[in-house]
Amino acid sequence: MNGLWIVLIVIIVCAVYAVSVYNGLVVLKNRVSEAWSDIEVQMKRRYDLIPNLVETVKGYAAHESGTLEKVIQARNMAMAAQGSVAKTAESENILTGTLKSLFALTENYPELKANANFMELQRELRDTEDKIQAARRFYNGNVLALNTKIELFPSNIFASMFHFEKRELFQLAENEQEARQAVQVKF
């Protein structure tokens, strides 16, 4: 009789552990989804700001239509990017590059830089960029936690049984990775 109780207790402990691991994986998967949703919300806000910014610049720099068209094309491409995180990150990095060229263009137009509407749009866009970076860090942290749990023993057994899959990190652009390198000073 004592042997039966021991077996029963072991089975119950194993079942409780299995449920705990499964629930932990579900929580992490949902956190990753929530974090990705936060990124999408901030990117949508960014997409909504860009046409207003382009229209404001267009009034002052009408002959710079090539740069303005590139910004709009990059925005449309970023909005259409669906599927993998890598594809989204690539289109977002292109959009960031075109926005940088737009802001560089404004250096030639002092009256535009003094325009209150332009300054407010630029501030909002900078704020949105900061929020995207924060959301990306939050997403990557949750992806790291999920991927680690999927790889660690014994949770990897449950992850494979219930088809939990690793997620992609939202990677930096190549030029941003180079910017993180230590600066070499030569005399």
Side-chain angles (χ1 to χ4, degrees):
M1 194 64 160
N2 284 340
L4 181 61
W5 282 107
I6 292 173
V7 170
L8 187 60
I9 290 172
V10 168
I11 290 173
I12 290 172
V13 168
C14 289
V16 167
Y17 180 73
V19 167
S20 173
V21 169
Y22 176 80
N23 288 343
L25 287 165
V26 169
V27 165
L28 289 172
K29 182 183 80 140
N30 289 339
R31 283 186 186 158
V32 168
S33 296
E34 174 194 15
W36 184 251
S37 177
D38 289 346
I39 290 173
E40 287 179 329
V41 165
Q42 294 305 324
M43 289 187 310
K44 169 127 179 40
R45 182 171 185 252
R46 180 191 204 193
Y47 302 150
D48 292 344
L49 287 171
I50 290 172
N52 295 333
L53 188 65
V54 168
E55 285 302 314
T56 302
V57 172
K58 199 182 284 186
Y60 289 91
H63 63 281
E64 304 282 359
S65 62
T67 302
L68 300 175
E69 286 174 14
K70 286 180 185 174
V71 171
I72 293 299
Q73 286 173 347
R75 173 191 175 260
N76 292 340
M77 185 177 77
M79 288 177 66
Q82 305 222 344
S84 74
V85 173
K87 186 186 232 186
T88 302
E90 179 183 349
S91 65
E92 286 298 313
N93 289 327
I94 291 169
L95 178 57
T96 298
T98 60
L99 285 172
K100 285 179 184 177
S101 67
L102 177 68
F103 289 124
L105 170 84
T106 62
E107 295 297 318
N108 298 329
Y109 300 92
E111 66 278 0
L112 174 61
K113 287 173 40 179
N115 179 291
N117 189 31
F118 176 77
M119 295 303 291
E120 178 61 20
L121 288 168
Q122 190 176 23
R123 187 197 60 72
E124 284 185 43
L125 193 57
R126 187 174 26 253
D127 181 55
T128 301
E129 294 292 335
D130 291 343
K131 288 178 181 176
I132 289 172
Q133 294 305 317
R136 186 173 77 182
R137 282 190 301 273
F138 181 67
Y139 170 80
N140 284 342
N142 282 304
V143 167
L144 178 63
L146 176 65
N147 290 349
T148 301
K149 184 121 180 166
I150 287 173
E151 290 178 2
L152 289 176
F153 180 81
S155 60
N156 63 347
I157 295 168
F158 296 102
S160 65
M161 274 182 12
F162 294 110
H163 307 289
F164 285 90
E165 295 180 4
K166 290 175 67 175
R167 299 283 186 97
E168 293 179 76
L169 294 172
F170 197 155
Q171 296 291 336
L172 294 173
E174 288 299 318
N175 57 354
E176 289 180 44
Q177 288 177 352
E178 290 172 10
R180 292 191 313 193
Q181 299 293 327
V183 177
Q184 295 181 1
V185 179
K186 295 180 183 178
F187 294 101

